């Protein structure tokens, strides 16, 4: 992120996404070989609220797996009990929706909430740059664009459908692009990532998988 001297390490993605031993059945370890990168104090502390935001967003997301649901009922609930202000902010103005699982046909009566784009973008940007450093042992100081595939663009009944359709096409395209790429990460139920060499327009692509169902496409050095 910067050229200041490192004063500690930060976990990538944030450690709070990985369940603690006490929240798992005996003998299950989902904190194996967590990825860390050197970090300056300023960048490490400035992102702790972003980390909490990311945790809440992922564990309440419908496509997330059972590990996420368990993390919601344990870790997230404990921090909500301590301080509910952030989750209250996220859940303000819930919009009732019916989400249909295309594979099973199952309908979920649930709510949609508005995302703080800037905050999510900041959290994902941090993770992308840190993973780049971890994977390639080099800083990436160029631009990074992150595209969360697990969010809807809009609930607007008119304009929204078209934008959401476009989003779906992009997710399908990304699924195909990365279909045969190797996964990295020692706790794939929580987090894993893939790398794809770039083309002339993009230096490199990365795909992040949180709790299996929450995917993010990352473009390093995309033009425009
Ligand atoms: Zn820094």
């Amino acid at each position: 992120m910067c050229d200041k001297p490192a004063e500690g390490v930060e976990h990538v993605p944030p450690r709070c996404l990985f369940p603690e031993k006490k929240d798992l059945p005996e003998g299950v370890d989902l904190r194996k070989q967590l990825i860390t990168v050197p970090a300056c104090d300023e960048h490490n502390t400035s992102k702790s609220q972003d980390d909490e935001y990311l945790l809440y967003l992922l564990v309440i997301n419908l496509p997330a797996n059972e590990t996420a649901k368990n993390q919601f009922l344990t870790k997230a609930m404990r921090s909500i009990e301590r301080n509910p202000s952030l989750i209250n902010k996220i859940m303000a103005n819930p919009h009732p929706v019916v989400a249909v699982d295309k594979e099973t046909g199952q309908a979920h009566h649930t709510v949609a909430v508005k995302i703080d784009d800037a905050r999510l973008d900041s959290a994902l940007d941090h993770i992308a740059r840190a993973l780049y450093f971890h994977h390639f042992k080099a800083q990436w100081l160029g631009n990074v664009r992150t595209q969360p595939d697990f969010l809807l663009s809009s609930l607007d009944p008119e304009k929204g459908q078209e934008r959401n359709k476009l989003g779906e096409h992009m997710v399908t395209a990304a699924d195909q692009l990365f279909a045969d790429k190797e996964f990295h990460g020692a706790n794939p139920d929580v987090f894993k990532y893939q790398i794809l060499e770039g083309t002339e327009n993009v230096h490199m692509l990365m795909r992040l998988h949180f709790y299996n169902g929450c995917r993010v496409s990352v473009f390093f050095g995309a033009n425009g």
Side-chain angles (χ1 to χ4, degrees), residues 10-130:
E10 71 172 56
H11 287 82
V12 198
R15 192 166 53 165
C16 62
L17 302 188
F18 297 86
E20 294 173 51
K21 274 214 171 95
K22 64 175 178 182
D23 296 328
L24 291 168
E26 180 116 14
V28 181
D29 181 5
L30 291 179
R31 289 190 162 190
K32 295 183 294 286
Q33 303 164 52
L34 299 186
I35 299 169
T36 59
V37 295
C40 77
D41 250 6
E42 194 187 317
H43 272 112
N44 210 350
T45 47
S46 73
K47 72 178 204 66
S48 68
Q49 270 232 323
D50 287 351
D51 291 354
E52 196 187 358
Y53 186 75
L54 184 69
L55 170 69
Y56 290 156
L57 214 63
L58 291 172
V59 296
I60 63 171
N61 211 273
L62 207 51
N65 61 11
E66 289 302 313
T67 304
K69 293 187 178 105
N70 185 57
Q71 189 68 343
F72 172 70
L73 293 171
T74 54
K75 171 83 184 179
M77 283 309 286
R78 285 196 295 273
S79 70
I80 289 166
E81 273 161 29
R82 275 197 306 274
N83 183 358
S85 60
L86 184 55
I87 195 80
N88 287 344
K89 221 165 149 187
I90 294 172
M91 297 306 288
N93 307 315
H95 188 102
V97 290
V98 180
V100 180
D101 187 323
K102 281 193 174 158
E103 276 166 33
T104 63
Q106 197 190 350
H108 301 269
H109 293 262
T110 181
V111 295
V113 293
K114 178 124 183 58
I115 298 302
D116 181 342
D117 288 314
R119 178 166 255 181
L120 178 61
D121 193 50
S122 158
L124 294 175
D125 183 273
H126 256 95
I127 292 171
R129 288 176 197 275

Side-chain angles (χ1 to χ4, degrees), residues 97-163:
V97 290
V98 180
V100 180
D101 187 323
K102 281 193 174 158
E103 276 166 33
T104 63
Q106 197 190 350
H108 301 269
H109 293 262
T110 181
V111 295
V113 293
K114 178 124 183 58
I115 298 302
D116 181 342
D117 288 314
R119 178 166 255 181
L120 178 61
D121 193 50
S122 158
L124 294 175
D125 183 273
H126 256 95
I127 292 171
R129 288 176 197 275
L131 280 176
Y132 188 98
F133 184 85
H134 166 75
H135 201 94
F136 297 106
K137 311 292 175 233
Q139 265 180 311
W140 175 258
L141 296 172
N143 66 333
V144 169
R145 193 166 69 79
T146 56
Q147 169 71 44
D149 291 345
F150 57 92
L151 301 178
L152 289 174
S153 303
S154 169
L155 286 177
D156 184 302
E158 293 191 357
K159 291 175 201 152
Q161 278 209 338
E162 209 169 297
R163 282 170 59 184

Side-chain angles (χ1 to χ4, degrees), residues 152-218:
L152 289 174
S153 303
S154 169
L155 286 177
D156 184 302
E158 293 191 357
K159 291 175 201 152
Q161 278 209 338
E162 209 169 297
R163 282 170 59 184
N164 290 331
K165 266 247 151 61
L166 182 67
E168 262 180 49
H169 285 310
M170 285 176 69
V171 172
T172 309
D175 284 342
Q176 286 167 355
L177 265 179
F178 284 94
D180 60 350
K181 297 292 171 242
E182 184 191 351
F183 286 105
H184 307 278
N187 309 280
D189 277 347
V190 180
F191 177 74
K192 58 193 175 187
Y193 70 97
Q194 296 166 287
I195 302 270
L196 185 63
E197 287 298 319
T199 60
E200 55 196 71
N201 295 320
V202 186
H203 173 72
M204 200 198 67
L205 288 115
M206 207 182 262
R207 203 136 198 251
L208 319 179
H209 301 247
F210 297 94
Y211 302 116
N212 253 322
C214 300
R215 299 189 287 273
V216 179
S217 299
V218 185

Side-chain angles (χ1 to χ4, degrees), residues 1-4 39-40 42-43:
M1 300 296 297
C2 70
D3 285 319
K4 279 190 215 132
C40 77
E42 194 187 317
H43 272 112

